[in-house]
Amino acid sequence: MASSENIIYRAGVDFESRPMVVICACNLPDPNVIDYDTILSVVLAQLDQFVENDYTVVMFSGGALYRPGWKWLFKAYRSLNRRYKKNLKALYVVHPSTWPRLILGTMNAVISPKFSAKVHFIDNLSQLARVVPLNQINIPAAVYKHNLKFEDAITLPEDQQDNAHRVFGASLERLMGPNGEKGLPKVIQDCIGNLIANGLYVEGLFRRSPSSAMLKQVRAAYDRGNPVDLSEYDVHISAVLLKLFLRELPEPIFPVSVYAKLQQQKRGEQTKTVLEFIRTEVILEVTHINLVLMMEVFRLLKMVADRHESNKMTAYNLALVMTPNMVRHDDVMQEIALSSVAAHLQRESIVEGALTLGTVIKVMIEHYDEVF
């Protein structure tokens, strides 16, 4: 059941620094279960916080499963007395179907013709971005999905197209600070948090692919700086976003210098246990901020592997799907070779020719506590 906070909530401010109130029709509950008069009282109570000053309302009409009846809508409209309407500067109705156009048109003609000048019908999210700052609005997943009926991608106005919020392909130094003082990037926090809460027992986690169209929408939202609630989406989107983030880092999370050390081991120049090699040769090559990120990612992977009887993702399976996102090499064949994973590797010794980055990652997942 949708909470009142999901139906109406405060966003940021519009281009004239007026507070924005967002109303989401997609989060309206079944009227046979919830009394809509109660919802009306909640909506009015929220609006009471803003009506004494100028404010803007953005109403997402698309993606709604339930729609209130005419009688209730006229009652709701009449409840908006002069103090609500006076300081309302604009009502943007996004993805209006015939239903809201007809209702608002009828109300404006019959009850308040002057109010119609404040109502603006917005066909898609690109158009909405031209009238309000899109990155300050938490847009529900149902709205993104509905928007795909009208446009494949959201296009921001030229004066809003910058990389200030871009997270995919950005350096860890910019996102986390030179010493990691800013903490984990928000997208990583969100992905890990959602996967721990909702994905640990999902079969094929990190292996299965979600809707590519919705994945693009969520990725673009993070790059715009939009707040995102990943719990509204297919949990596989969180898993793929995490892989994409690692894959698109300007520098791989495992530095290239590690590759040479792996080559030395393959030639049998040294004899060490796998864990000793990881602790003394691999981890010491990783920068501080990479290590902070690595610890959280591998903590999650360990939690997933520990539940492999349910999710079918053993440390071996996870290493297979994760390693290609952590390795980078100009030679494609070398990259493929580095990504291979030994199915069976004795903990006590390194078998000549068997140690690859994929195998290192498998062991790091299996023995997280000993590595970190």
Side-chain angles (χ1 to χ4, degrees):
M1 182 178 68
S3 67
S4 60
E5 292 80 5
N6 291 329
I7 298 171
I8 180 169
Y9 55 88
R10 165 75 187 272
V13 295
D14 65 14
F15 289 129
E16 297 183 32
S17 296
R18 299 177 297 217
M20 292 189 294
V21 180
V22 178
I23 299 175
C24 300
C26 62
N27 288 327
L28 286 171
D30 185 344
N32 295 318
V33 176
I34 301 296
D35 182 2
Y36 271 33
D37 286 343
T38 301
I39 294 176
L40 177 58
S41 65
V42 170
V43 170
L44 295 178
Q46 289 288 331
L47 289 177
D48 280 339
Q49 302 176 47
F50 308 103
V51 296
E52 300 304 325
N53 300 290
D54 292 350
Y55 69 104
T56 296
V57 173
V58 175
M59 185 176 79
F60 292 116
S61 173
L65 294 177
Y66 305 103
R67 299 190 184 280
W70 279 82
K71 182 178 179 181
W72 183 87
L73 286 166
F74 272 100
K75 178 181 179 180
Y77 192 94
R78 290 183 181 278
S79 299
L80 297 174
N81 56 39
R82 184 177 182 275
R83 75 189 190 94
Y84 291 101
K85 298 173 184 176
K86 176 184 176 182
N87 291 323
L88 174 63
K89 296 307 175 184
L91 167 59
Y92 298 107
V93 183
V94 186
H95 301 135
S97 61
T98 303
W99 178 79
R101 287 182 188 271
L102 181 60
I103 289 175
L104 283 170
T106 302
M107 290 178 175
N108 290 336
V110 175
I111 302 174
S112 177
K114 292 182 179 180
F115 188 72
S116 62
K118 300 182 178 182
V119 179
H120 307 276
F121 294 111
I122 306 295
D123 294 329
N124 54 57
L125 293 179
S126 293
Q127 186 178 341
L128 181 65
R130 295 198 288 268
V131 292
V132 296
L134 205 63
N135 64 352
Q136 296 194 31
I137 302 176
N138 186 358
I139 301 173
V143 174
Y144 279 124
K145 183 176 181 180
H146 189 77
N147 193 64
L148 287 170
K149 297 178 181 179
F150 308 99
E151 56 182 356
D152 294 331
I154 299 167
T155 303
L156 298 181
E158 288 187 7
D159 60 351
Q160 297 180 43
Q161 294 181 10
D162 59 56
N163 294 322
H165 299 288
R166 186 170 64 93
V167 294
F168 290 92
S171 69
L172 287 181
E173 287 79 2
R174 179 171 75 78
L175 297 175
M176 299 176 62
N179 299 305
E181 62 272 15
K182 297 180 182 179
L184 288 176
K186 184 66 165 58
V187 63
I188 295 299
Q189 294 181 42
D190 291 351
C191 289
I192 291 178
N194 187 48
L195 290 169
I196 290 175
N198 302 304
L200 293 181
Y201 295 92
V202 174
E203 185 173 336
L205 192 67
F206 288 107
R207 174 176 283 168
R208 293 185 177 175
S209 300
S211 161
S212 59
M214 286 304 296
L215 177 65
K216 290 177 182 177
Q217 296 288 311
V218 181
R219 171 183 170 146
Y222 274 109
D223 276 338
R224 286 193 304 270
N226 274 89
V228 178
D229 182 357
L230 288 177
S231 66
E232 295 183 358
Y233 299 88
D234 179 354
V235 72
H236 294 294
I237 284 181
S238 295
V240 175
L241 284 175
L242 179 57
K243 291 195 294 184
L244 282 174
F245 181 88
L246 295 173
R247 180 65 182 174
E248 297 189 9
L249 284 172
E251 299 294 333
I253 191 169
F254 285 93
V256 176
S257 58
V258 170
Y259 305 165
K261 292 181 178 294
L262 291 171
Q263 293 294 327
Q264 292 173 3
Q265 290 297 317
K266 290 173 68 173
R267 290 196 301 269
E269 293 182 3
Q270 294 177 306
T271 301
K272 292 184 178 182
T273 66
V274 178
L275 286 175
E276 183 184 2
F277 174 76
I278 292 172
R279 286 194 297 255
T280 61
E281 303 291 341
V282 176
I283 295 299
L284 293 181
E285 293 290 320
V286 178
T287 64
H288 174 69
I289 54 175
N290 280 30
L291 187 59
V292 170
L293 173 61
M294 188 181 290
M295 289 177 66
E296 291 304 307
V297 170
F298 277 87
R299 180 174 69 91
L300 169 67
L301 297 177
K302 170 65 173 172
M303 295 174 72
V304 174
D306 285 346
R307 293 157 179 80
H308 68 270
E309 292 185 359
S310 297
N311 57 43
K312 312 303 181 186
M313 295 303 291
T314 62
Y316 173 77
N317 292 335
L318 287 168
L320 281 177
V321 296
M322 293 301 296
T323 304
N325 302 289
M326 299 186 190
V327 65
R328 205 82 46 81
H329 203 289
D330 293 335
D331 185 333
V332 175
M333 296 308 296
Q334 285 292 323
E335 187 168 314
I336 293 173
L338 284 164
S339 298
S340 64
V341 184
H344 302 288
L345 182 68
Q346 293 182 353
R347 177 179 174 180
E348 292 76 15
S349 63
I350 298 172
V351 179
E352 184 175 355
L355 192 60
T356 63
L357 188 61
T359 302
V360 164
I361 288 173
K362 171 179 173 287
V363 174
M364 289 175 67
I365 295 172
E366 291 173 330
H367 303 286
Y368 175 84
D369 292 333
E370 296 167 84
V371 172
F372 294 102

PDB file of all heavy atoms in Angstrom, residues 2-3 6-7 9 24-29 63-64 140 232:
ATOM      1  N   ALA A   2       0.539   2.193  -0.857  1.00  0.00           N
ATOM      2  CA  ALA A   2       1.328   3.417  -0.976  1.00  0.00           C
ATOM      3  C   ALA A   2       1.136   4.297   0.247  1.00  0.00           C
ATOM      4  O   ALA A   2       0.044   4.430   0.777  1.00  0.00           O
ATOM      5  CB  ALA A   2       0.923   4.168  -2.239  1.00  0.00           C
ATOM      6  N   SER A   3       2.198   4.894   0.731  1.00  0.00           N
ATOM      7  CA  SER A   3       2.114   5.814   1.848  1.00  0.00           C
ATOM      8  C   SER A   3       1.805   7.204   1.332  1.00  0.00           C
ATOM      9  O   SER A   3       1.953   7.505   0.149  1.00  0.00           O
ATOM     10  CB  SER A   3       3.429   5.824   2.630  1.00  0.00           C
ATOM     11  OG  SER A   3       4.459   6.376   1.830  1.00  0.00           O
ATOM     12  N   ASN A   6       4.428   8.974  -0.584  1.00  0.00           N
ATOM     13  CA  ASN A   6       4.633   8.613  -1.989  1.00  0.00           C
ATOM     14  C   ASN A   6       3.623   9.289  -2.911  1.00  0.00           C
ATOM     15  O   ASN A   6       3.854   9.393  -4.109  1.00  0.00           O
ATOM     16  CB  ASN A   6       4.534   7.090  -2.166  1.00  0.00           C
ATOM     17  CG  ASN A   6       5.692   6.363  -1.524  1.00  0.00           C
ATOM     18  OD1 ASN A   6       6.785   6.895  -1.455  1.00  0.00           O
ATOM     19  ND2 ASN A   6       5.452   5.163  -1.046  1.00  0.00           N
ATOM     20  N   ILE A   7       2.508   9.700  -2.358  1.00  0.00           N
ATOM     21  CA  ILE A   7       1.464  10.347  -3.163  1.00  0.00           C
ATOM     22  C   ILE A   7       1.750  11.829  -3.328  1.00  0.00           C
ATOM     23  O   ILE A   7       1.619  12.384  -4.421  1.00  0.00           O
ATOM     24  CB  ILE A   7       0.077  10.127  -2.514  1.00  0.00           C
ATOM     25  CG1 ILE A   7      -0.257   8.632  -2.473  1.00  0.00           C
ATOM     26  CG2 ILE A   7      -0.996  10.904  -3.284  1.00  0.00           C
ATOM     27  CD1 ILE A   7      -1.490   8.311  -1.658  1.00  0.00           C
ATOM     28  N   TYR A   9       4.647  14.921  -2.013  1.00  0.00           N
ATOM     29  CA  TYR A   9       5.865  15.209  -1.266  1.00  0.00           C
ATOM     30  C   TYR A   9       6.519  16.475  -1.781  1.00  0.00           C
ATOM     31  O   TYR A   9       6.261  16.931  -2.894  1.00  0.00           O
ATOM     32  CB  TYR A   9       6.854  14.033  -1.335  1.00  0.00           C
ATOM     33  CG  TYR A   9       7.208  13.582  -2.733  1.00  0.00           C
ATOM     34  CD1 TYR A   9       8.267  14.157  -3.443  1.00  0.00           C
ATOM     35  CD2 TYR A   9       6.481  12.569  -3.347  1.00  0.00           C
ATOM     36  CE1 TYR A   9       8.595  13.740  -4.716  1.00  0.00           C
ATOM     37  CE2 TYR A   9       6.802  12.139  -4.631  1.00  0.00           C
ATOM     38  CZ  TYR A   9       7.854  12.721  -5.310  1.00  0.00           C
ATOM     39  OH  TYR A   9       8.165  12.322  -6.578  1.00  0.00           O
ATOM     40  N   CYS A  24       1.823  12.305  -7.197  1.00  0.00           N
ATOM     41  CA  CYS A  24       2.030  11.133  -8.050  1.00  0.00           C
ATOM     42  C   CYS A  24       0.762  10.290  -8.113  1.00  0.00           C
ATOM     43  O   CYS A  24       0.434   9.573  -7.159  1.00  0.00           O
ATOM     44  CB  CYS A  24       3.177  10.283  -7.524  1.00  0.00           C
ATOM     45  SG  CYS A  24       4.754  11.149  -7.459  1.00  0.00           S
ATOM     46  N   ALA A  25       0.072  10.352  -9.242  1.00  0.00           N
ATOM     47  CA  ALA A  25      -1.139   9.552  -9.413  1.00  0.00           C
ATOM     48  C   ALA A  25      -0.820   8.062  -9.446  1.00  0.00           C
ATOM     49  O   ALA A  25      -1.653   7.228  -9.079  1.00  0.00           O
ATOM     50  CB  ALA A  25      -1.860   9.964 -10.693  1.00  0.00           C
ATOM     51  N   CYS A  26       0.409   7.721  -9.879  1.00  0.00           N
ATOM     52  CA  CYS A  26       0.783   6.311  -9.963  1.00  0.00           C
ATOM     53  C   CYS A  26       0.827   5.643  -8.596  1.00  0.00           C
ATOM     54  O   CYS A  26       0.824   4.409  -8.500  1.00  0.00           O
ATOM     55  CB  CYS A  26       2.125   6.155 -10.673  1.00  0.00           C
ATOM     56  SG  CYS A  26       3.507   6.959  -9.836  1.00  0.00           S
ATOM     57  N   ASN A  27       0.887   6.434  -7.524  1.00  0.00           N
ATOM     58  CA  ASN A  27       0.947   5.867  -6.177  1.00  0.00           C
ATOM     59  C   ASN A  27      -0.393   5.904  -5.451  1.00  0.00           C
ATOM     60  O   ASN A  27      -0.460   5.587  -4.262  1.00  0.00           O
ATOM     61  CB  ASN A  27       2.002   6.616  -5.346  1.00  0.00           C
ATOM     62  CG  ASN A  27       3.412   6.300  -5.785  1.00  0.00           C
ATOM     63  OD1 ASN A  27       3.699   5.184  -6.211  1.00  0.00           O
ATOM     64  ND2 ASN A  27       4.307   7.266  -5.716  1.00  0.00           N
ATOM     65  N   LEU A  28      -1.448   6.280  -6.172  1.00  0.00           N
ATOM     66  CA  LEU A  28      -2.777   6.242  -5.549  1.00  0.00           C
ATOM     67  C   LEU A  28      -3.173   4.797  -5.281  1.00  0.00           C
ATOM     68  O   LEU A  28      -3.011   3.934  -6.149  1.00  0.00           O
ATOM     69  CB  LEU A  28      -3.807   6.908  -6.456  1.00  0.00           C
ATOM     70  CG  LEU A  28      -3.765   8.436  -6.538  1.00  0.00           C
ATOM     71  CD1 LEU A  28      -4.691   8.932  -7.649  1.00  0.00           C
ATOM     72  CD2 LEU A  28      -4.150   9.066  -5.213  1.00  0.00           C
ATOM     73  N   PRO A  29      -3.709   4.506  -4.109  1.00  0.00           N
ATOM     74  CA  PRO A  29      -4.092   3.124  -3.779  1.00  0.00           C
ATOM     75  C   PRO A  29      -5.466   2.772  -4.355  1.00  0.00           C
ATOM     76  O   PRO A  29      -6.156   3.619  -4.930  1.00  0.00           O
ATOM     77  CB  PRO A  29      -4.123   3.157  -2.242  1.00  0.00           C
ATOM     78  CG  PRO A  29      -4.534   4.566  -1.929  1.00  0.00           C
ATOM     79  CD  PRO A  29      -3.897   5.437  -2.985  1.00  0.00           C
ATOM     80  N   GLY A  63       0.921   6.434 -15.625  1.00  0.00           N
ATOM     81  CA  GLY A  63       1.302   5.242 -14.875  1.00  0.00           C
ATOM     82  C   GLY A  63       0.375   4.884 -13.744  1.00  0.00           C
ATOM     83  O   GLY A  63       0.683   3.989 -12.951  1.00  0.00           O
ATOM     84  N   ALA A  64      -0.775   5.545 -13.651  1.00  0.00           N
ATOM     85  CA  ALA A  64      -1.700   5.293 -12.544  1.00  0.00           C
ATOM     86  C   ALA A  64      -2.504   4.018 -12.778  1.00  0.00           C
ATOM     87  O   ALA A  64      -3.009   3.782 -13.882  1.00  0.00           O
ATOM     88  CB  ALA A  64      -2.639   6.474 -12.364  1.00  0.00           C
ATOM     89  N   PRO A 140       9.077   8.786  -9.770  1.00  0.00           N
ATOM     90  CA  PRO A 140       8.788   7.361  -9.530  1.00  0.00           C
ATOM     91  C   PRO A 140       9.125   6.490 -10.735  1.00  0.00           C
ATOM     92  O   PRO A 140       9.099   6.938 -11.887  1.00  0.00           O
ATOM     93  CB  PRO A 140       7.271   7.356  -9.262  1.00  0.00           C
ATOM     94  CG  PRO A 140       6.930   8.747  -8.863  1.00  0.00           C
ATOM     95  CD  PRO A 140       7.873   9.625  -9.629  1.00  0.00           C
ATOM     96  N   GLU A 232      12.074   0.711  -5.996  1.00  0.00           N
ATOM     97  CA  GLU A 232      10.921   0.737  -6.900  1.00  0.00           C
ATOM     98  C   GLU A 232      11.176  -0.057  -8.179  1.00  0.00           C
ATOM     99  O   GLU A 232      10.247  -0.291  -8.956  1.00  0.00           O
ATOM    100  CB  GLU A 232      10.578   2.178  -7.281  1.00  0.00           C
ATOM    101  CG  GLU A 232      10.105   3.047  -6.120  1.00  0.00           C
ATOM    102  CD  GLU A 232       9.707   4.430  -6.594  1.00  0.00           C
ATOM    103  OE1 GLU A 232       9.838   4.731  -7.800  1.00  0.00           O
ATOM    104  OE2 GLU A 232       9.241   5.220  -5.756  1.00  0.00           O
TER     105      GLU A 232
END
